[in-house]
Structures are given as structure tokens and as C-alpha cells.
Amino acid sequence: MVLTLCLFSSRTGAQPVTPEPTLHIQANHVTAHVSPQLYGLMTEEINYSYEGGLYGELIRNRTFKADPQQPTGWQVVGSGNLSLDESNGLNAALALSLRLDASGASPSTPAGMANTGYWGIPVRPQTTYNLSFFAKCSPGYSGPLVVRLENADGSTIFAQAVFTGLSTGWNQFHAQLVTQNAPVGKDNRLTLSTSSPGTIWFQQVSLFPPTYDQQPNGDRPDIMNLLAAMKPAFLRLPGGNYLEGDHFESRFNWKNTIGRTEDRPGHESPWGYWSTDGFGLMEYMMWCEDLHMEPLLAVFAGYTLRHEHAEPGPELAPYVQDALDEIQYVAGPTNTTWGALRARDGHPAPFPLHYIEVGNEDEFDRSGSYDGRFAQFFKAIKSTYPDLKIIATAKVKSVTPDLLDEHYYRSEEEMEAHAHDYDRYSRENPTKIFVGEWATRVGSPTPNMAGALGDAAWMTGMERNSDIVRMSSYAPLFVNVSDLGKGGSMQWRSDLIGYDALTSYGSPSYYAQVMFSNQHGDDVLETSSSNIGTYLWQPKPRRRNGEELPAPPPQQVPTLFFDATRNASTGDLFLKVVNRSGTDQKVRVLVDGSGPIQSTGVATVLQGDSPDATNSLQDPMHIVPHSSTVSDLGENFEHSFPAYSITILKLASSN
Ligand code: AHR
């Protein structure tokens, strides 16, 4: 391997003596403004993101539709027998029920059923759980029906409610289950049982713990708090592949996801499990409202993951109309058909809405129809809502999209090698960029420090070029880490936030996002560098039509990444520096045209002992940012950036 003075052979290899690395900030030259929408979130139902994740519901398969053959998630307790019953449905949406045959029940042989939730049901002391279910019974059944929150083998009861008054017609029952001095744990279950003989049918058995902001049908507070710390500007919803679905009937059909939860039929998600759609369009909007972020609404564009499509023209027209209706539901006045339905659903005020995305990853469209499909949506939406910005998911020629959604899932080295790509993007192109999915996929289930370093290097490039990259969102956002085997709780590795039924944690990449999103100015300043070390990286050969192409030549990749922004009103400078190498790097920083800079400032540092270092449920705070006061700063100073670190230096203006 040939090395020149500033080239390092590996992350930790011996490093030749080099001239002093220097970062130069030209504070009197603003190259761009940081987009207020630069840092957002992307979401979809994957890795048990909502059901078994953000959505507060604790009961798995509450509507019994997850598997048409058996009541997955439900077990017999005692002497009963359980079966799915398609001739005793609650309504057209939930046209089946779970039948508990308790004909042999007696005080000595009670019959019942149990649910253990999404890899456990979290129980905490002095906590109120909202229970509800629909039930009806055979003639002559007198009850009572006992519902208990208890430990896994039923030997300890934490809370219970007793119901009488069941009848041969459907009724909904409610109770609050309040725990006393229960130990914190997740190896628990909910049981519904009876000591009286008879048959009972159930539908939508639901249990909610306290939710964020006490919202009904709401979200898990711990995960919401992690998201709030990211200060996201927007939420790209509802996918991803989840928007498209495998087939037309399993797309995210938003009209089936609003109104009373018992009127939502649910659907199969493309990630291999059932969605009740209890977390539907209104729940997405409330999530946005709770975290003060704007929805970035992706509309189904007539193309599915299995390559079925609606041809532009009359065949596509119903889907275009669905999108217009959806926009009206989200943001229309209450004197419109769909705006009135939003008011019926509890939210008369329109939600703020500025961005519509048409489809998802349509560069995979094998029909060649995206240009025509996009144009049909674009014209229909713009003619009614000229101010909405419309995002394409693949390049089109017939109209000019406001933004193009680009996706990047890469290794750490690839991320770093591409960190300067947007420096070279044409400033004349009227279509701006939304990096709607991106991640350094290193580490599983959640990214490790190497992932965070690749992410941060990439983020310096996006922030530096924020006149082009107007928005960005990491993906996937969530993973339930309870069961990482095949067919378990994870369908996609390297996800920003991990959790089980009880607790959650942010990955090092999550903390990198928190740092970037919270600490930046509004002006991007011109920067340059000299004597930055590099390492040699051999890109992997690409494949085309199943064949491996010749390997691209190896390339030198910097070991240091940076950008600088300034708060126009306070004059504070934010210098972000990523040192991806295994040794500390002493760097001279020169600031021109800023006026005097105070000698003390604040450094916020995220650092790992190794690229593999990571966070987990067991060690959630292993890698977190630390802030400290730094002295000897000014317009010309030297600073040592630690190995494997992401640093934000906040330099205060003396003016
Ligand atoms: O983020 C996981 C998946 O990656 C998304 O659903 C899809 O858009 C992309 O291919």
C-alpha cells in the first residue's frame, strides 16, 4: 500500500508525522442557511414500531385477526377452550370474535384466556391501566367475568376487575386496573376468566398504561421523551414500504385507519405481521402535534412492493382522489367533507401541512409508470393546493418536483466517502433534496459508535449543503429488541432507538442526531482545511443483473469531517468535528471575519472507546454526549479531538 505524508493505512495503524491539520472558518462568508426542516423523523410499522412499540396498547392481537387459523397471542387458562368464530363478529370491520367455551367452568375449575402482550406486559407500582373489551355471552350465562393483571404463572395478582351484566348482544366494558406495590417487571399477563359455565365471545380486548400527555389511544412516554429530545421538525409518514404494501389491498389505506378503533379493519403489513390500525392517520397527526413537528405526508401512488400498478389516467384517478381527500382530512377546513370528519374524530383545527410525498422508492418501479403517475398527482394536488411542496421519490421529466427523496443505507466507510457529495450538487437545480431515509448500517439491533461516526460525517455534509438538502430523516427509527431471531421482533437491523416492553434506549447514532439537531446556527459558514489525514478504503464491487462488476479502485477517505454554522442573532459559532480515527487528532482552528471570540466555550462530545462500543437495554447510557467548558479558544486555537468522537464546539462571540 502506498502512503503519502497525510495518508493513514488504517483506523489505528501507526501514523506518520504530518503537518498540523488545520480547519479554516471564513465567518464573513455565509454559503447557505440551515433549513429549519433539516432534522426530522421517518416512521413506518416495521420492527414492531407502533404495535409493540410507540403505541401504548399492551395487548397483542387484540382483534384476533393476526392469523386466520388461530388466536395468536392468546392462551387458554384453566379448563376452557378458545377458537376464532367468524359467525359472531362485532361489525363489518371486525367480523370475527374469540369464543371462550367455558361450559366446564366451576369455582374449582375456572375457564379463561391470557395474553402476554408484546414480549411481556409492563407492570409498575401505583399505576392505572385502562382496560376495555367488547363481549357477549350465551343465554343463561350469569357471570361474573374476572379480569386480572397478574404475573406470568398467575401466582401474584397485581390488579383485578369483576364484570357482571354480560348479555347475548355485544356491549363494551371498561375498568381501571390500579396496581399497588407491584414490582416493576414485564413477565406478566392479562387474564379474563370465569367460574360460571357458559360461552363468551370477545372482541378488541385492550389495555393501556399511562400514555404521553395522558392522550387516549396514545403513546409510550419513554419513547416520546427520547424523540422530544431530538427536536424533530417533521415526521415523514406512514412509510416506507408500509405505505405501499405488498398488494393494493394491503397498502396503507388511510380511510380504513380513522374513526373509532373498533371500526378499523386492520391490514397485513409488508414486514410480515398484522396491524390493527389502532395507530392510524389521526394518531400520526397527534404524534406530530405532541412533539411540535409537521407531518410530511406520503400518499399512496398506485404502485405496490410486488410491482402491481395503476396506469396513469382513469385507472390511477381513484388513488389521486384518495390523496386529495387525505390532504383535506389533515388540513382542510371543517366545512369540507373530510375536514368535517377530522372534527368528528376530535380535532376541528386543521393540522399544519406543507409537504406531500408521492409514493416511496419509485426507482424500483418496473412498469416505467412513475413519471406519468407522479405528474397526475402533482397536477391534481398543485391545482387545489398550489402552496404545497411536492416530493418525488424517483427522477421524473414531465414536471419539476419541489424535492427529490434520496435514500442511503451504507457502511461507515461509504458514508464517509460520500460525505462531500452534496458539495458538488448543482446549485441551479430547482429540485431540492430530501434525504428521506439514510443510515450507517453498522451494529445490530441498533448502531454502534462506528455507525454514529459514519452518520455524523454524513450529517456534516448535509448541514453544510442545507441550501440543497432541505430535509433529512434517519431510518428506521425504532426496533423492539425482545426477540432478535428469525420471525421475531426485528425485520431490519441498525435502528435508531431500541426497546422492550418495559424500557427503551437511544443508540450512539441517536445521540449524534440529538447533538446535531439541537446545536446549530442558521448560517452555514465557508470552511476549508489542510493536512487532514486520510485512510485507504476499498469500495465493494457492485452487482448488476446478478453479476459482480469489477471492483472500483481504492480511494482515500478523510479521517476528519466538519462544518461550521453561526447563530445570526447571538453570533455564536458551532463547529462540528468528527474524528473517525483511533487516535486523538490535534487540530488548529482559524476563524476569519468573525470579530473577537471568547476564550471560553462549550464542547459537547460523544465518544466511544472503540468503533464497536454501543448502548443497549442493559447499558443504555454507555455512550452519551458530555458537555464541558473549554478554555484557550479564540480566532486561532489548537484543540485535540479525541479518537472515535463527535464534537460540537460552541464558540461565543465577544461582540
Ligand atoms: O427503512 C426500511 C425500508 O427501506 C423502507 O421501508 C423502504 O422505503 C426502504 O427500502
Side-chain angles (χ1 to χ4, degrees):
M1 189 181 301
V2 181
L3 296 176
T4 59
L5 249 187
C6 296
L7 312 185
F8 303 160
S9 61
S10 71
R11 216 194 263 277
T12 52
Q15 295 175 9
V17 177
T18 59
E20 187 178 46
T22 305
L23 305 184
H24 200 146
I25 303 173
Q26 209 65 56
N28 50 6
H29 189 189
V30 173
T31 56
H33 296 289
V34 180
S35 163
Q37 275 83 36
L38 184 57
Y39 298 104
L41 303 178
M42 184 270 168
T43 181
E44 66 177 315
E45 182 58 279
I46 183 175
N47 301 326
Y48 292 82
S49 283
Y50 313 140
E51 303 192 19
L54 180 70
Y55 185 42
E57 178 61 80
L58 297 179
I59 301 303
R60 186 165 192 170
N61 193 19
R62 72 180 183 189
T63 58
F64 319 120
K65 293 178 85 172
D67 181 344
Q69 308 302 325
Q70 55 189 337
T72 309
W74 292 91
Q75 298 90 40
V76 171
V77 173
S79 64
N81 187 37
L82 285 177
S83 56
L84 295 176
D85 187 345
E86 290 183 358
S87 52
N88 276 293
L90 175 68
N91 56 30
L94 301 179
L96 87 175
S97 56
L98 185 58
R99 179 179 192 268
L100 172 65
D101 175 357
S103 47
S106 70
S108 59
T109 55
M113 58 196 216
N115 190 289
T116 50
Y118 293 91
W119 299 278
I121 292 189
V123 165
R124 293 184 172 83
Q126 283 84 40
T127 303
T128 301
Y129 295 80
N130 283 311
L131 169 78
S132 66
F133 59 92
F134 289 89
K136 67 175 193 171
C137 62
S138 53
Y141 175 76
S142 56
L145 178 73
V146 182
V147 182
R148 287 183 177 141
L149 187 53
E150 59 187 33
N151 71 348
D153 63 10
S155 55
T156 309
I157 298 163
F158 303 121
Q160 75 170 32
V162 178
F163 297 89
T164 52
L166 275 72
S167 71
T168 53
W170 286 107
N171 284 299
Q172 191 173 25
F173 298 85
H174 297 269
Q176 291 196 323
L177 300 182
V178 185
T179 60
Q180 303 302 320
N181 294 322
V184 175
K186 67 181 170 62
D187 292 331
N188 307 304
R189 64 185 191 179
L190 184 83
T191 58
L192 300 93
S193 64
T194 185
S195 311
S196 311
T199 303
I200 313 170
W201 288 265
F202 295 94
Q203 191 40 275
Q204 196 168 274
V205 181
S206 170
L207 185 70
F208 270 81
T211 57
Y212 187 79
D213 230 1
Q214 286 81 50
Q215 296 274 7
N217 203 38
D219 302 327
R220 251 175 83 161
D222 57 333
I223 300 179
M224 285 293 271
N225 288 332
L226 281 169
L227 297 176
M230 295 174 76
K231 297 227 169 69
F234 68 89
L235 176 71
R236 174 179 176 234
L237 67 98
N241 292 356
Y242 187 59
L243 168 72
E244 297 170 90
D246 278 337
H247 303 286
F248 276 84
E249 65 274 15
S250 53
R251 71 189 189 279
F252 183 80
N253 187 355
W254 72 271
K255 286 178 180 166
N256 285 345
T257 75
I258 57 170
R260 300 184 312 175
T261 52
E262 63 266 29
D263 293 332
R264 305 179 192 179
H267 74 287
E268 189 70 39
S269 102
W271 296 105
Y273 57 94
W274 185 260
S275 176
T276 66
D277 287 326
F279 198 96
L281 184 58
M282 178 56 90
E283 287 70 31
Y284 280 111
M285 293 303 129
M286 294 311 297
W287 179 10
C288 289
E289 187 164 279
D290 285 348
L291 294 188
H292 313 293
M293 46 187 188
E294 271 202 26
L296 184 159
L297 185 64
V299 297
F300 178 72
Y303 196 89
T304 74
L305 287 168
R306 300 291 168 94
H307 308 295
E308 303 150 346
H309 82 282
E311 208 37 39
E315 209 181 312
L316 190 65
Y319 301 104
V320 176
Q321 189 56 50
D322 265 356
L324 292 170
D325 294 346
E326 189 172 7
I327 294 168
Q328 196 179 78
Y329 180 84
V330 170
T334 49
N335 61 1
T336 58
T337 308
W338 292 99
L341 278 178
R342 184 193 62 245
R344 172 207 70 179
D345 293 344
H347 204 284
F351 293 97
L353 182 67
H354 294 98
Y355 295 92
I356 302 295
E357 177 159 20
V358 178
N360 176 56
E361 294 194 334
D362 283 272
E363 75 269 15
F364 294 120
D365 171 0
R366 291 187 191 157
S367 68
S369 63
Y370 187 62
D371 208 323
R373 288 187 289 114
F374 180 80
Q376 195 168 332
F377 278 89
F378 183 91
K379 287 173 191 163
I381 296 170
K382 284 275 186 189
S383 71
T384 319
Y385 304 98
D387 294 337
L388 285 181
K389 301 240 179 283
I390 307 201
I391 304 169
T393 73
K395 288 196 171 118
V396 292
K397 292 204 176 88
S398 48
V399 288
T400 306
D402 295 297
L403 293 114
L404 177 67
D405 181 357
E406 298 187 338
H407 294 178
Y408 300 106
Y409 292 106
R410 289 169 163 162
S411 68
E412 183 199 349
E413 293 80 4
E414 264 181 300
M415 271 303 187
E416 291 163 358
H418 288 276
H420 288 273
D421 282 4
Y422 290 118
D423 297 355
R424 298 180 279 272
Y425 189 90
S426 161
R427 261 60 201 173
E428 312 308 316
N429 194 332
T431 300
K432 301 303 174 197
I433 300 296
F434 165 40
V435 186
E437 292 180 30
W438 67 273
T440 308
R441 293 187 72 191
V442 194
S444 180
T446 47
N448 55 23
M449 191 63 209
L453 291 167
D455 289 348
W458 176 249
M459 283 193 284
T460 61
M462 292 199 290
E463 192 171 272
R464 187 172 52 247
N465 292 289
S466 189
D467 53 329
I468 292 163
V469 183
R470 308 298 296 159
M471 317 174 87
S472 72
S473 43
Y474 185 103
L477 184 58
F478 294 140
V479 61
N480 186 316
V481 300
S482 301
D483 176 8
L484 298 176
K486 201 166 185 295
S489 59
M490 178 173 77
Q491 289 77 50
W492 184 285
R493 66 174 166 75
S494 303
D495 308 290
L496 204 63
I497 291 173
Y499 45 80
D500 66 1
L502 204 57
T503 59
S504 51
Y505 70 96
S507 62
S509 291
Y510 161 82
Y511 287 106
Q513 298 256 343
V514 171
M515 286 168 67
F516 270 66
S517 169
N518 278 267
Q519 295 202 57
H520 62 80
D522 28 29
D523 291 337
V524 179
L525 305 179
E526 185 172 309
T527 46
S528 58
S529 63
S530 52
N531 306 324
I532 299 295
T534 60
Y535 68 98
L536 191 67
W537 171 59
Q538 173 61 65
K540 281 208 179 114
R542 300 215 172 272
R543 298 184 78 83
R544 189 184 300 146
N545 302 329
E547 292 213 2
E548 197 168 281
L549 301 172
Q555 68 185 83
Q556 293 293 338
V557 180
T559 56
L560 214 64
F561 301 85
F562 58 94
D563 79 304
T565 58
R566 178 181 48 206
N567 181 319
S569 50
T570 63
D572 290 344
L573 297 186
F574 297 88
L575 172 61
K576 294 180 169 130
V577 178
V578 182
N579 177 9
R580 63 90 62 200
S581 73
T583 49
D584 297 359
Q585 293 205 54
K586 212 174 250 184
V587 176
R588 176 145 308 274
V589 179
L590 302 174
V591 189
D592 274 343
S594 64
I597 288 179
Q598 289 179 25
S599 62
T600 51
V602 178
T604 307
V605 182
L606 186 74
Q607 192 194 0
D609 340 325
S610 78
D612 300 332
T614 199
N615 295 340
S616 63
L617 279 183
Q618 294 70 33
D619 195 0
M621 306 292 277
H622 185 62
I623 298 181
V624 293
H626 294 283
S627 293
S628 59
T629 303
V630 199
S631 49
D632 297 330
L633 302 173
E635 299 92 81
N636 180 344
F637 65 94
E638 199 178 53
H639 189 83
S640 183
F641 294 93
Y644 307 129
S645 72
I646 301 161
T647 301
I648 302 183
L649 273 183
K650 187 175 173 196
L651 309 175
S653 153
S654 293
N655 286 332

